[in-house]
């Protein structure tokens, strides 16, 4: 499809910055990659050279144990790429180290958001509105039914349930990178100072967050604890462990899950969740549409998620938009 | 409404049957009349507000949300009431929830015109959970994984009464069931139901599976492929007759030939069939289910219908005869009473389901395997000493269905499910080859199925559909025609409604043939050869 911004090309496996011959969040190994954040569907190993924020590089190093060709780019720092392209990493508010990438070439400005949210998160700096010509956005929660409530409400529900069942524990399923640490940080902010127990798969990422200055309070491993010790406590695990045999070692757990999908009852039921917590690291419908209005781009490109509805919203407001149909992005994880 | 909404939410998120029972019982004990009665009616599907339809909600939403965004949201969420409850614009004033009975009264008073102003006024008084509960209540279909039976068991547990008694009184009463609560909660005399033509709960059977029974203790009967019915007459010659379906729905209007067919007070259990040799039926006896389908679900019945598809009841059992409640007697004694009754019944409306004689179990298995009559669904095995007990009691009655027919089909389209499968591609349209696929023949759709697989398999198929999509039409995806399903079905009939000219009865996914190449799936000729119309 012909368009005005020929120097930036959405290909099935990522966004190609043609003059610099580099790729943003490519789903296959390339020589030169720019990576918005550390989630596995955006940050893959095996690239020749990877430009990302120092936090994202640290996360990638933890996950892939490769550090070859890592080029750190601090927030607001502009990096000159080949072919006369400037790249600036701008906070996206998604997870630790997450960035939007502003690309400038021949007087044109393109912002690739990666994933983002607009509500406050104690584990990362907030999203910054960056004016541009082309705004490339996600649409994970791109349906008007998605409206994430204030996180205080959801943390309150969690603490209420914990208090109501002092003989049990509440097992919270949360993604290992970002969600788990944010939930823990928010629990601390709400004054919850008891030890929080972790599934082993979360330990290293929590330590990494602490190394980068995010205080998570006292954390203990489930594998080191006795069943009795965990009564009346919160246990955090990756979503895949929620209904796993692993949870049998816990004292009569109440199953909770922290995800934007919990807004929809049947989604919670499908996961056998008893206590749905609507906590998301992605923009909800209101945030997505507000962000487009504030950025006010010449046109919007939509990478992944429920793009039909966001396209429709643009159409109703006579805004230009197109869906990119990239492959490899998980549109279900949150 | 807040407590009711909290109950509905808690039920949605509770897995354990016992906890669900406790939640409902706790609500029924703690809530005063008439709210609890209305809530019980909602849980048992006993409410109907003609002014509120799914289309009413859609129209209300179209006034507030762009129709395209509404449709996309509805497809994703998979439930109209929930979608509307989430999309309803937040009011400016704080919630001021009405009581359940106030809500029910308001809903009952609405007309097709006034609903468009009165329902929004109610919705504005509630939060999202309250709106969900209200819309579920208003449309009459809760679909939250609570059966009417479970709600009745919860009622029985709440007040420590027998669930059989609850079932017995249930059908003579109307919401909000004050007499039922008075009897159960306050030990008032039981509701008087003797003089009404009431539905009595059916005795049901378990699948036989791998059990082998001794024919010394069990008797075999054919399981007929019609619909199970109960015919009730009370009040003597001037009295009233009613015909009930298995779920207790009054279907007397659909089958007027029975209104004066039962000359004495009785409650009979049998299979409703239509007569005819057409469509593979036995000679002069029952036609296939396909023929019966011409008669089902009609509000008015033409003379031609009555003449072309005359209905009759093949009797299995007698529950009550004149003043005798026979349900406590063993099957053999009830059978003797039924056989003695037959000469008193009009022969064009009733016959007796014969006992199948077999010397031993293996012999019975041979008889079952040899049964080719389309009106036969399989065999029933009934313990000779079994009383007539409502529901399924292990060890008394078994059903032993005929082995299904099988055909290998190719997945063509997948559609998102609703309810607990919302967002999963769970409804499949599949086809057979219209000739030699290697010589360029195409697939023709032959059926649709949405069950027969486990939750784990559903997740796998869903993933498969997402990665093998070649086209999208709203909630439907066309796949690249590479996945083979072994489809099981009970029979196949000629049909003008389908492009393939064939319609399967009761198709379900039997196995997923991840291993089988699509071009090795069956051709349509193989399926056509199974038609026995």
């Amino acid at each position: 499809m012909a368009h005005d911004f020929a120097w930036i090309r959405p290909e099935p496996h990522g966004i190609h910055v043609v003059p610099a011959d580099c790729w943003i969040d490519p789903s296959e190994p390339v020589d030169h990659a720019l990576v918005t954040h550390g989630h596995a569907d955006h940050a893959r190993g095996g690239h020749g050279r990877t430009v990302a924020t120092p936090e994202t590089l640290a996360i990638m190093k933890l996950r892939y144990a490769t550090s070859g060709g890592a080029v750190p780019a601090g927030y607001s720092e502009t990096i000159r790429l080949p072919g006369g392209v400037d790249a600036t990493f701008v906070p996206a508010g998604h997870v630790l180290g997450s960035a939007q990438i502003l690309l400038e070439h021949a007087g044109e400005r393109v912002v690739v958001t990666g994933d983002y949210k607009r509500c406050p998160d104690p584990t990362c700096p907030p999203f910054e509105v960056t004016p541009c010509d082309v705004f490339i956005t996600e649409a994970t929660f791109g349906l008007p039914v998605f409206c994430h409530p204030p996180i205080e409400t959801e943390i309150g529900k969690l603490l209420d349930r914990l208090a109501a069942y002092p003989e049990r524990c509440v097992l919270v399923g949360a993604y290992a990178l970002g969600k788990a640490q944010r939930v823990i940080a928010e629990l601390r902010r709400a004054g919850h100072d008891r030890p929080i127990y972790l599934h082993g798969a979360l330990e290293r990422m929590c330590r990494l967050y602490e190394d980068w200055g995010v205080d998570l309070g006292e954390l203990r491993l489930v594998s080191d604890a006795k069943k009795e010790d965990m009564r009346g406590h919160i246990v955090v695990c990756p979503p895949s462990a929620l209904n796993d045999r692993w949870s049998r070692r816990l004292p009569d757990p109440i199953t909770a899950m922290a995800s934007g999908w919990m807004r929809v009852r049947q989604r919670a039921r499908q996961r056998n969740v008893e206590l749905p917590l609507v906590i998301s690291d992605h923009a909800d419908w209101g945030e997505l549409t507000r962000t487009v209005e504030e950025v006010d781009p010449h046109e919007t490109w939509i990478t992944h998620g429920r793009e039909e509805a966001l396209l429709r919203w643009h159409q109703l407001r006579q805004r230009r938009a197109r869906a990119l149909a990239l492959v490899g992005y998980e549109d279900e994880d949150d | 409404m807040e407590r009711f909404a909290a109950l509905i939410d808690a039920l949605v998120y509770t897995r354990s049957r016992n906890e669900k029972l406790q939640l409902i019982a706790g609500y029924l004990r703690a809530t005063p009349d008439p709210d609890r009665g209305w809530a019980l009616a909602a849980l048992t599907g006993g409410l109907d507000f003609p002014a509120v339809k799914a289309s009413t909600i859609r129209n209300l939403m179209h006034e507030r949300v762009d129709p395209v965004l509404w449709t996309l949201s509805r497809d994703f969420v998979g439930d109209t009431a929930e979608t509307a409850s989430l999309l309803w614009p937040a009011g400016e004033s704080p919630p001021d929830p009405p009581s359940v009975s106030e809500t029910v009264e308001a809903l009952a008073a609405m007309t097709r015109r006034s609903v468009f102003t009165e329902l929004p006024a109610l919705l504005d008084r509630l939060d999202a959970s309250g709106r969900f509960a209200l819309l579920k209540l208003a449309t009459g279909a809760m679909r939250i994984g609570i059966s009417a039976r479970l709600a009745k068991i919860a009622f029985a547990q709440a007040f420590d009464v027998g669930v059989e008694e609850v079932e017995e009184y249930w059908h003579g009463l109307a919401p909000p069931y004050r007499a039922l609560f008075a009897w159960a909660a306050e030990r008032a005399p039981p509701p008087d139901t003797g003089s009404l033509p009431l539905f009595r709960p059916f005795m049901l059977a378990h699948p036989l599976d791998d059990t082998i029974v001794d024919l010394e203790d069990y008797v075999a009967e054919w399981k007929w492929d019609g619909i199970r019915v109960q015919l009730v007459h009370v009040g003597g010659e001037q009295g009233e007759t009613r015909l009930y379906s298995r779920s207790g729905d009054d279907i007397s209007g659909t089958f007027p030939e029975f209104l004066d067919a039962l000359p004495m007070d009785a409650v009979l259990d049998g299979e409703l069939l239509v007569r005819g040799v057409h469509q593979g039926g036995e000679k002069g006896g029952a036609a296939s289910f396909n023929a019966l389908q011409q008669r089902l679900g009609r509000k008015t019945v033409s003379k031609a219908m009555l003449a072309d598809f005359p209905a009759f009841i093949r009797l299995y059992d007698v529950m009550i005869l004149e003043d005798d409640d026979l349900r406590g007697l063993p099957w053999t004694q009830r059978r003797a009473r039924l056989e003695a009754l037959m000469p008193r019944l009009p022969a064009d409306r009733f016959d007796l389901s014969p006992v199948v004689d077999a010397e031993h179990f293996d012999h019975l298995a041979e008889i079952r395997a040899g049964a080719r009559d389309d009106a036969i669904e399989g065999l029933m095995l009934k313990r000779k000493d079994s009383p007539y007990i409502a529901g399924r009691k292990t060890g008394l009655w078994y059903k032993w269905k005929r082995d299904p027919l099988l055909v290998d089909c190719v997945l063509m389209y997948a559609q998102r499910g609703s309810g607990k499968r919302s967002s999963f591609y769970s409804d499949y349209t599949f086809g057979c080859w219209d000739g030699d696929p290697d010589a360029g023949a195409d697939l023709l759709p032959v059926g649709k199925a949405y069950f027969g697989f486990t939750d784990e398999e559903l997740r796998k198929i869903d993933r498969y559909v997402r990665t093998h999509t070649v086209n999208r039409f709203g909630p439907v995806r066309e796949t690249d025609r590479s996945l083979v399903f072994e489809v099981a079905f009970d029979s196949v009939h000629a049909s003008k409604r389908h492009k393939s000219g064939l319609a399967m009865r009761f198709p379900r996914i039997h196995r997923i043939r991840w291993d089988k190449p699509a071009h090795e799936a069956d051709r349509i000729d193989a399926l056509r050869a199974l038609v026995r119309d």
Side-chain angles (χ1 to χ4, degrees), chain B residues 439-508:
Chain B
D442 205 0
L443 283 169
L444 274 184
V446 296
K448 238 180 138 164
Y450 45 89
F451 63 97
F453 36 83
T454 64
D455 287 355
E456 187 52 41
E457 286 171 328
L458 171 61
R459 270 189 279 277
K460 271 180 86 176
I461 305 172
D462 177 73
R463 224 173 300 138
Y464 184 90
V465 168
R466 286 170 195 273
T467 49
H468 290 78
T469 299
V470 294
N471 244 320
R472 289 163 80 160
F473 315 94
V476 178
R477 286 183 182 221
E478 181 177 358
T479 63
D480 62 8
R481 304 175 168 200
S482 53
L483 182 60
V484 176
F485 288 148
E486 186 177 273
V487 176
F489 55 101
D490 286 0
S491 57
V492 57
H493 302 275
S495 162
K496 292 197 185 82
R497 274 205 309 214
H498 301 89
K499 202 176 159 191
S500 62
L502 297 171
M504 288 177 170
R505 172 143 149 73
F506 199 44
R508 59 269 186 197

Side-chain angles (χ1 to χ4, degrees), chain A residues 143-146 168 243 255 261-270 272-276 285 306-310 312-313 316 331-332, chain B residues 9 11-13 15 19 66 68-69 72-73 76-77 82-83 85-87 128-129 132 143-145 419-424 459 466 472:
Chain A
L143 278 175
V145 290
F146 290 110
R168 303 176 67 180
N243 301 309
T255 308
W261 301 116
M262 295 298 109
R263 172 89 167 151
V264 176
R265 282 179 179 75
Q266 296 298 348
R267 285 303 191 103
R269 280 178 67 120
Q270 284 161 3
N272 290 330
V273 166
E274 297 163 277
L275 176 62
W285 176 257
R306 264 117 296 275
E307 58 270 19
E308 295 116 310
L310 198 55
R312 173 68 179 173
W313 179 86
L316 290 171
D331 66 354
E332 300 282 308
Chain B
D9 263 348
L11 289 173
V12 166
Y13 296 125
R15 278 171 287 171
E19 275 176 46
D66 171 60
V68 175
L69 291 178
L72 290 168
S73 300
F76 183 86
V77 174
E82 180 164 12
T83 313
S85 76
L86 294 173
L87 284 179
S129 280
F132 176 72
R143 292 180 196 274
I144 52 166
K420 75 170 187 176
R421 284 148 158 205
S422 81
S423 88
F424 281 113
R459 270 189 279 277
R466 286 170 195 273
R472 289 163 80 160

Side-chain angles (χ1 to χ4, degrees), chain B residues 172-191:
Chain B
L173 304 171
Y177 309 111
R178 281 182 195 269
L180 192 69
F181 279 99
W183 159 70
E186 287 140 39
R187 302 292 181 238

Side-chain angles (χ1 to χ4, degrees), chain A:
Chain A
M1 194 168 110
H3 57 82
D4 301 336
F5 304 91
W7 57 277
I8 184 133
R9 289 233 299 255
E11 301 281 353
H13 297 287
I15 292 165
H16 192 195
V17 186
V18 181
D21 193 23
C22 69
W23 294 77
I24 298 177
D25 293 352
S27 56
E28 290 179 349
V30 297
D31 289 342
H32 192 175
L34 306 186
V35 173
T36 58
H37 66 283
H39 277 143
D41 50 329
H42 294 260
R44 311 212 177 205
H47 304 312
R49 190 174 123 97
T50 303
V51 188
T53 61
E55 295 90 335
T56 299
L57 289 171
I59 290 164
M60 290 176 74
K61 188 175 172 193
L62 183 72
R63 294 199 146 169
Y64 303 114
T66 53
S67 55
V71 181
Y75 288 131
S76 308
E77 189 185 311
T78 298
I79 294 207
R80 170 57 54 99
L81 301 174
V85 180
D86 284 339
T88 310
F89 285 63
V90 180
H94 177 55
V95 297
L96 179 72
S98 64
Q100 316 169 61
I101 302 174
L102 166 67
L103 299 160
E104 293 171 285
H105 176 69
E108 292 176 334
R109 291 160 64 88
V110 175
V111 167
V112 184
T113 60
D115 294 332
Y116 66 98
K117 68 173 175 289
R118 301 298 302 273
C119 56
D121 180 341
T123 69
C124 59
F127 181 94
E128 288 175 19
V129 172
T130 307
C132 58
D133 302 303
V134 175
F135 184 63
I136 305 184
T137 181
E138 57 140 330
T140 304
F141 290 105
L143 278 175
V145 290
F146 290 110
C147 168
H148 308 325
I151 192 166
E152 293 78 11
T153 317
E154 303 303 290
I155 293 290
K157 277 203 271 180
L158 170 54
L159 291 173
D160 286 350
R161 190 69 72 100
L162 186 71
Y165 295 92
E167 291 303 300
R168 303 176 67 180
C169 70
V170 182
L171 174 63
V172 184
Y175 276 94
L177 166 55
K179 187 68 61 65
Q181 297 78 20
R182 179 175 173 219
V183 167
I184 296 169
E186 288 287 355
L187 281 165
R188 299 310 186 202
R189 213 164 61 86
H192 181 75
D193 53 10
R194 271 178 249 172
I196 291 174
Y197 289 86
L198 296 183
H199 184 283
L202 301 180
E203 187 193 9
R204 291 197 305 166
M205 199 58 79
C206 287
R207 299 293 171 225
L208 184 144
Y209 263 63
E210 288 177 319
D211 292 345
W212 285 90
V214 179
D215 183 13
L216 300 179
E218 187 184 349
L219 301 178
R220 294 179 186 169
L221 284 178
V222 170
S223 54
D224 297 341
K226 289 202 227 43
K227 201 175 206 169
E228 293 308 308
D229 301 341
M230 293 185 278
R231 291 191 195 280
H233 286 78
I234 290 170
V235 181
V236 186
C237 71
S240 58
L242 273 183
N243 301 309
D244 191 56
R245 258 190 337 194
W246 170 83
S247 63
R248 288 187 200 159
R249 69 189 71 193
L250 304 176
D252 195 10
I254 296 162
T255 308
M257 168 128 175
S259 164
W261 301 116
M262 295 298 109
R263 172 89 167 151
V264 176
R265 282 179 179 75
Q266 296 298 348
R267 285 303 191 103
R269 280 178 67 120
Q270 284 161 3
R271 285 223 175 239
N272 290 330
V273 166
E274 297 163 277
L275 176 62
L277 303 170
V278 187
I279 299 177
S280 174
D281 283 333
H282 293 269
D284 67 10
W285 176 257
E287 293 170 50
L288 287 171
T289 54
R290 174 164 67 93
T291 303
V292 173
E293 279 171 344
E294 288 176 8
V295 173
D296 196 20
H298 180 65
E299 59 185 86
T300 307
W301 297 356
I302 306 165
T303 52
H304 61 291
R306 264 117 296 275
E307 58 270 19
E308 295 116 310
L310 198 55
L311 281 175
R312 173 68 179 173
W313 179 86
H314 280 80
Q315 188 194 343
L316 290 171
R317 279 155 191 78
Q318 273 131 38
R319 285 184 177 276
R320 290 164 65 100
R322 52 184 284 223
L324 302 185
L326 301 189
V327 298
Y329 286 153
E330 294 291 336
D331 66 354
E332 300 282 308
D333 287 356
D334 174 42

Side-chain angles (χ1 to χ4, degrees), chain B residues 294-370:
Chain B
Q294 309 297 322
R295 293 285 310 268
L296 295 179
R298 290 177 187 270
K299 288 211 172 99
T300 55
V301 193
S302 67
K303 280 194 176 142
M305 268 289 158
L306 289 171
D308 291 347
F309 300 98
F312 69 102
I313 298 174
R314 183 156 284 171
L315 293 168
Y316 291 135
D317 217 320
V318 52
M319 297 156 73
I320 297 175
L321 184 57
E322 283 149 349
D323 284 330
D324 286 346
D325 188 338
L326 309 179
R327 285 175 290 178
L329 299 179
W331 179 87
T332 37
Q333 289 187 36
R334 291 200 310 279
R335 177 78 187 185
R337 295 289 290 267
L338 181 61
E339 286 175 6
L341 175 67
M342 290 312 295
R344 298 171 61 196
L345 299 175
D348 57 338
R349 294 290 165 238
F350 298 96
D351 68 11
L352 183 65
S353 178
V355 165
V356 178
D357 286 319
E359 284 151 32
H360 45 76
F361 193 78
D362 290 344
H363 183 204
L364 191 63
E366 273 170 43
I367 294 174
R368 168 176 167 272

Side-chain angles (χ1 to χ4, degrees), chain B residues 11-182:
Chain B
L11 289 173
V12 166
Y13 296 125
T14 301
R15 278 171 287 171
S16 137
R17 182 172 180 274
N18 274 337
E19 275 176 46
K20 286 180 187 180
L21 289 171
Q22 282 171 21
L23 285 167
I24 301 172
Y27 174 88
L28 294 177
R29 273 195 303 265
T31 309
D33 285 321
D35 273 23
R36 59 183 176 181
W38 293 120
L40 186 61
L43 292 174
T44 50
L47 293 178
D48 181 30
F49 303 107
V52 193
K53 301 270 170 250
S55 61
T56 316
I57 297 174
R58 192 168 61 235
N59 290 335
L60 273 181
M61 294 312 296
H62 281 186
E63 292 171 12
R64 287 159 179 84
V65 181
D66 171 60
V68 175
L69 291 178
W70 161 261
T71 305
L72 290 168
S73 300
R74 167 64 187 76
D75 285 346
F76 183 86
V77 174
D79 182 294
T80 299
E82 180 164 12
T83 313
S85 76
L86 294 173
L87 284 179
W88 192 257
E92 280 144 37
S93 45
D96 166 29
S99 72
V100 176
S101 40
E102 191 186 336
T103 306
V104 168
E105 279 159 31
L107 287 168
M110 288 177 195
T111 65
R112 278 167 199 266
R113 281 176 77 91
S114 73
V115 68
F116 288 100
T117 52
E118 291 172 13
L119 187 56
L122 280 180
L123 287 163
D124 282 337
R125 292 171 62 183
L126 295 160
D127 64 9
S129 280
R131 291 193 293 264
F132 176 72
L134 166 63
L135 292 173
K136 285 286 180 187
L137 189 80
T139 50
M142 301 298 282
R143 292 180 196 274
I144 52 166
I146 306 292
S147 65
R149 175 78 182 167
L150 190 82
K152 290 172 196 167
I153 295 172
F155 176 92
Q157 289 189 358
F159 305 109
D160 200 19
V161 292
V163 70
E164 289 78 18
E165 289 166 278
V166 175
E167 290 278 15
E168 186 81 29
Y169 301 138
W170 187 265
H171 292 274
L173 304 171
Y177 309 111
R178 281 182 195 269
L180 192 69
F181 279 99

Side-chain angles (χ1 to χ4, degrees), chain B residues 142-464:
Chain B
M142 301 298 282
R143 292 180 196 274
I144 52 166
I146 306 292
S147 65
R149 175 78 182 167
L150 190 82
K152 290 172 196 167
I153 295 172
F155 176 92
Q157 289 189 358
F159 305 109
D160 200 19
V161 292
V163 70
E164 289 78 18
E165 289 166 278
V166 175
E167 290 278 15
E168 186 81 29
Y169 301 138
W170 187 265
H171 292 274
L173 304 171
Y177 309 111
R178 281 182 195 269
L180 192 69
F181 279 99
W183 159 70
E186 287 140 39
R187 302 292 181 238
D192 175 27
T193 52
S195 56
L196 301 168
L198 287 188
F199 169 74
R200 307 309 199 284
F202 278 110
M203 178 156 180
L204 303 170
H206 278 287
L208 186 68
D209 293 331
D210 297 327
T211 316
I212 291 176
V213 298
D214 187 342
L215 295 186
E216 286 290 306
D217 303 325
Y218 286 81
V219 64
E221 269 182 72
W222 293 117
K223 180 174 176 9
W224 299 97
D225 194 13
I227 59 168
R228 184 95 176 269
V229 289
Q230 185 175 108
L231 193 66
V232 185
H233 182 88
V234 291
E237 279 181 32
Q238 300 304 309
E240 189 183 356
T241 306
R242 281 194 201 165
L243 184 67
Y244 292 102
S245 72
R246 214 189 87 156
S247 51
D249 293 324
D250 184 344
I251 53 169
S252 314
T254 310
F255 295 96
E257 50 258 76
F258 296 102
L259 292 185
D260 50 7
L262 194 55
M264 74 286 292
D265 283 16
V267 179
L268 303 176
D269 178 351
E271 195 86 7
L272 184 85
L273 297 157
V274 299
R275 210 174 283 283
V277 289
H278 38 28
Q279 313 229 9
E282 63 188 9
K283 211 169 192 181
S288 70
F289 189 83
N290 210 36
L292 172 61
Q293 261 183 332
Q294 309 297 322
R295 293 285 310 268
L296 295 179
R298 290 177 187 270
K299 288 211 172 99
T300 55
V301 193
S302 67
K303 280 194 176 142
M305 268 289 158
L306 289 171
D308 291 347
F309 300 98
F312 69 102
I313 298 174
R314 183 156 284 171
L315 293 168
Y316 291 135
D317 217 320
V318 52
M319 297 156 73
I320 297 175
L321 184 57
E322 283 149 349
D323 284 330
D324 286 346
D325 188 338
L326 309 179
R327 285 175 290 178
L329 299 179
W331 179 87
T332 37
Q333 289 187 36
R334 291 200 310 279
R335 177 78 187 185
R337 295 289 290 267
L338 181 61
E339 286 175 6
L341 175 67
M342 290 312 295
R344 298 171 61 196
L345 299 175
D348 57 338
R349 294 290 165 238
F350 298 96
D351 68 11
L352 183 65
S353 178
V355 165
V356 178
D357 286 319
E359 284 151 32
H360 45 76
F361 193 78
D362 290 344
H363 183 204
L364 191 63
E366 273 170 43
I367 294 174
R368 168 176 167 272
R372 276 283 155 258
D373 189 327
D374 257 8
I376 288 174
E377 216 189 330
L379 284 169
M380 292 294 299
L381 289 159
K382 298 179 177 175
R383 233 191 121 81
K384 290 176 182 170
D385 60 4
S386 63
Y388 196 102
I389 296 177
R392 276 186 190 88
K393 194 163 160 67
T394 309
L396 296 186
W397 286 10
Y398 291 106
K399 54 185 172 191
W400 193 17
K401 287 201 181 187
R402 262 207 318 223
D403 289 334
L405 301 165
L406 298 172
V407 65
D408 283 338
C409 301
V410 182
L411 174 64
M412 300 177 72
Y413 304 95
Q415 182 168 1
R416 284 209 186 114
S418 56
K420 75 170 187 176
R421 284 148 158 205
S422 81
S423 88
F424 281 113
Y425 286 92
S426 63
D427 297 12
Y428 310 115
T429 302
F430 38 80
C432 287
W433 296 109
D434 186 22
D436 181 358
D438 296 326
D442 205 0
L443 283 169
L444 274 184
V446 296
K448 238 180 138 164
Y450 45 89
F451 63 97
F453 36 83
T454 64
D455 287 355
E456 187 52 41
E457 286 171 328
L458 171 61
R459 270 189 279 277
K460 271 180 86 176
I461 305 172
D462 177 73
R463 224 173 300 138
Y464 184 90

